[in-house]
Amino acid sequence: MGEEVKDQGRRGFLTTAAATVGGVFALLGAAKLPAAAKTELPPLSEGVIYPDPALCVGCGACEVACGQVHAEHGLSGVPRIHILIKDGATVGISIADAKTTGTGGYVPSPCKQCPDPECFVVCPADALQIDGKGGARFIDESVCVACGKCEAACPYPVDGVQALTEEPMHTKRIFFDPKLNVYTKCDMCHWRAEGPACVGACPVNHNIKLGLLKSDHLCLDIKRADETTYKQIL
Amino acid sequence: MKSFEYQAASSVGEAVVRLQQAKGTGVPMGGGTDLVGLMKNRVVNPELVVDLKVVDSLAYIRRQDGGFALGAATTVADVQFSAELGTDYPLLRKAASLVASQQIRNQGTVGGNLCQRPRCWYFRNTLTPCLRRDGTYCSAVLGENKYHAILGGAGCFIVHPSDLAPALIALDARAKITGPGGSRVVPMEEFFVLPREDLHHETILKTDEILEEVQIPAPMQGAKQVWLKHRIRQVWDFAILSVACQVQVRGTAVSDIRLVLGAVAPAPWRCHTAERLLRGSALTPENVDRAIAAELAKARPMTQNAYKIELAAELMRQALLG
Ligand SMILES: Cc1cc2nc3c(=O)[nH]c(=O)nc-3n(C[C@H](O)[C@H](O)[C@H](O)COP(=O)(O)OP(=O)(O)OC[C@H]3O[C@@H](n4cnc5c(N)ncnc54)[C@H](O)[C@@H]3O)c2cc1C
Ligand code: SF4
Ligand code: SF4
Ligand code: SF4
């Protein structure tokens, strides 16, 4: 029989942590939690979207595919990854030169799947969950009360100009969907058999896999979300 | 081609019911000049084809509310040769007369022209990956993209192939859409969608809806109407770039303007920025150049199609000042 995997919310972890003798405890978000609320860190995410801005050609396939697969799955259609051009950079530059990619200065900004997710701690509705299989931090949109605390708590801003719309963007790695009145974030497409839609849609990835572009890693890769990798994500 | 059931619809209502029953596996057909090729190449594999061209009540050009209404099964040739339409809408007549070839215009319908599928060579070949068709990835981004989009692309970079579409948007036309729940009328501009809104479809039509009618209001009074199309072969060819516009000048200033580019984006591209800058200004070369530059500042060319920015600027200049 296969192991039963359950998604867990913050309360689940607090209960488990209280019952654990000799578990790994950490003082997490202590300022925000009632005194002495110690909690066990959730397991690391097995995967985090790990972009290389030097390879990205700014086509936006990741962004569009992200929104659309989620919408088709009945979730918010707001993309959870955005392609930015740093403030002040010229917008409207070449999408790609097949031999020298990355000339555009495009920066994909996905969620870092933090080892100590601050969004997870502050949610009063327990909408922030840890996927029981891969450890992805995700929002259960059916219970999100749209208070916005997760977004406020997220330490990583997304600041710049959106490559696809040229609209300025100043948010965190959690996004509000005014249509559904929920917040949403990268969930590593943990419900999707084919894996992350963005990684699958990135044409640079496919060209690397086909040997048409030389690179020892993908443009949008998947790495384990440990202390080192998550700090490296821009 | 995969085998399919053919249904000659006797009315719009019947067509819609059959499409609804087919639950997404049916498609409407006008003249079949686009659909049959797609089916032969197995890009589209319907189980049911509902023929709209046999619905008599869908082929008409009639006066309505000071303008005209065109049934979806009206042929492109009927539009091209209609003296009434040509008088009020010379830009539409010119656009229709430059679609494809006379044979295709005789067979192809207005509905089919507006709902035709993209001409991207990767989309039309099931051996090449395509994000729009099969959801893999876009072969055009790092492939052959000289005819692809410079505006509005995201994930997919098709250009919308219809010539009637930009012409009708410049004329402020509306689309009457009919489905099982009844009809709705939307501005033609909103009939088309960018990949950001829907990666797999070019219009807002649901699988059980059809485009029933195109409604064109009276033209802007005293306005200049222009249609320009740049293509490589002088017959049988899609636009590399097209411009459709109506410009009305009162005194020395532009009082109203609708300016639309074809073949630059996954949907006809209404030049809202340029229109805004020109409204209320004199139609001088300086003002026109400033408006064009502002519109095209949004362009994001791909590896092989930066020439389209210059081409668009030049055609817009000719349309507005010529
Ligand atoms: C060689 C060649 C050159 C061409 N050049 C040009 C050109 O320069 N400019 C240009 O604009 N076009 C061009 N075309 C495209 C041509 O104009 C279209 O094929 C034609 O207008 C489509 O009309 P149809 O009635 O035959 O459509 P069909 O082939 O019957 O249908 C096309 C699509 O529209 C859908 N459809 C049809 N009617 C409706 C409706 N009422 N409601 C909802 N969906 C509908 C069908 O399901 C199908 O997906 C060219 C085509 C060819 C083959
Ligand atoms: S992994 Fe899935 S949810 Fe996360 S950014 Fe990619 S497509 Fe979006
Ligand atoms: S799909 Fe790949 S190349 Fe395209 S914008 Fe996203 S990361 Fe960049
Ligand atoms: S441009 Fe669009 S239709 Fe063409 S290959 Fe790319 S995704 Fe497919």
Side-chain angles (χ1 to χ4, degrees), chain A residues 57-61 64-65 68 72 91-98 101 106 163-166 200-204 206-207 210 213, chain B residues 131 135-139 141-142 149 152-157 194-200 297-304 306 309:
Chain A
V57 298
C59 72
V64 174
Q68 295 196 8
E72 283 159 17
V91 192
I93 18 170
S94 250
I95 278 188
D97 172 333
T101 56
Y106 295 106
L164 303 186
T165 59
E166 286 191 42
C202 175
V204 175
H206 289 272
N207 276 266
L210 291 168
L213 278 173
Chain B
L131 190 59
T136 49
Y137 68 97
C138 174
S139 295
V141 170
L142 294 164
C156 167
F157 296 84
L194 289 172
R196 229 179 351 257
E197 299 150 68
D198 187 338
L199 198 45
H200 302 292
K298 292 179 199 144
R300 295 198 319 138
M302 304 173 80
T303 43
Q304 304 169 344
I309 299 180

Side-chain angles (χ1 to χ4, degrees), chain B residues 169-208:
Chain B
I169 293 172
L171 292 171
D172 199 12
R174 289 176 300 268
K176 180 179 175 193
I177 298 169
T178 300
S183 297
R184 57 193 166 125
V185 176
V186 299
M188 192 56 82
E189 192 180 350
E190 291 166 23
F191 181 67
F192 298 99
V193 290
L194 289 172
R196 229 179 351 257
E197 299 150 68
D198 187 338
L199 198 45
H200 302 292
H201 302 96
E202 297 81 46
T203 71
I204 58 172
L205 285 181
K206 301 199 185 85
T207 53
D208 55 6

Side-chain angles (χ1 to χ4, degrees), chain A residues 29-91:
Chain A
K32 293 173 215 101
L33 284 174
K38 285 180 180 174
T39 176
E40 191 177 18
L41 277 177
L44 289 180
S45 176
E46 285 304 316
V48 60
I49 301 303
Y50 191 83
D52 181 352
L55 289 171
C56 173
V57 298
C59 72
C62 50
E63 190 172 321
V64 174
C66 176
Q68 295 196 8
V69 297
H70 284 85
E72 283 159 17
H73 193 64
L75 296 166
S76 161
V78 169
R80 285 92 166 134
I81 183 167
H82 295 84
I83 303 303
L84 298 176
I85 301 192
K86 288 236 163 85
D87 260 342
T90 349
V91 192

Side-chain angles (χ1 to χ4, degrees), chain A residues 68-159:
Chain A
Q68 295 196 8
V69 297
H70 284 85
E72 283 159 17
H73 193 64
L75 296 166
S76 161
V78 169
R80 285 92 166 134
I81 183 167
H82 295 84
I83 303 303
L84 298 176
I85 301 192
K86 288 236 163 85
D87 260 342
T90 349
V91 192
I93 18 170
S94 250
I95 278 188
D97 172 333
K99 281 165 208 77
T100 54
T101 56
T103 49
Y106 295 106
V107 185
S109 313
C111 157
K112 294 171 174 241
Q113 305 292 345
C114 304
D116 55 347
E118 300 201 16
C119 53
F120 177 72
V121 182
V122 296
C123 177
D126 228 7
L128 262 133
Q129 302 272 320
I130 308 290
D131 166 43
K133 240 204 257 118
R137 288 86 172 100
F138 71 98
I139 293 175
D140 179 348
E141 292 174 13
S142 65
V143 296
C144 170
V145 293
C147 67
K149 288 193 169 145
C150 54
E151 190 201 359
C154 174
Y156 298 104
V158 184
D159 280 327

Side-chain angles (χ1 to χ4, degrees), chain B residues 5-36:
Chain B
E5 185 193 341
Y6 170 86
Q7 168 82 42
S10 57
S11 66
V12 173
E14 188 197 353
V16 164
V17 167
R18 286 306 309 267
L19 288 171
Q20 187 186 23
Q21 285 165 348
K23 295 194 172 70
T25 65
V27 288
M29 179 171 80
T33 59
D34 182 33
L35 182 64
V36 173

Side-chain angles (χ1 to χ4, degrees), chain B residues 27-36 38 52-53 58 72-73 76 98-101 104 107-117 119 161-164 191 205 209-212 229 231 233 236-239:
Chain B
V27 288
M29 179 171 80
T33 59
D34 182 33
L35 182 64
V36 173
L38 288 163
L52 302 176
K53 220 178 168 201
L58 261 184
V76 178
L98 295 183
V99 165
S101 65
I104 293 174
Q107 176 68 13
T109 63
V110 169
N113 186 276
L114 295 171
C115 299
Q116 61 178 298
R117 303 304 312 275
R119 286 279 154 183
S162 166
D163 284 340
L164 297 188
F191 181 67
L205 285 181
E209 287 181 327
I210 63 161
L211 172 62
E212 183 180 345
K229 173 174 175 174
R231 52 185 173 172
R233 286 172 303 184
W236 283 90
D237 215 356
F238 290 90

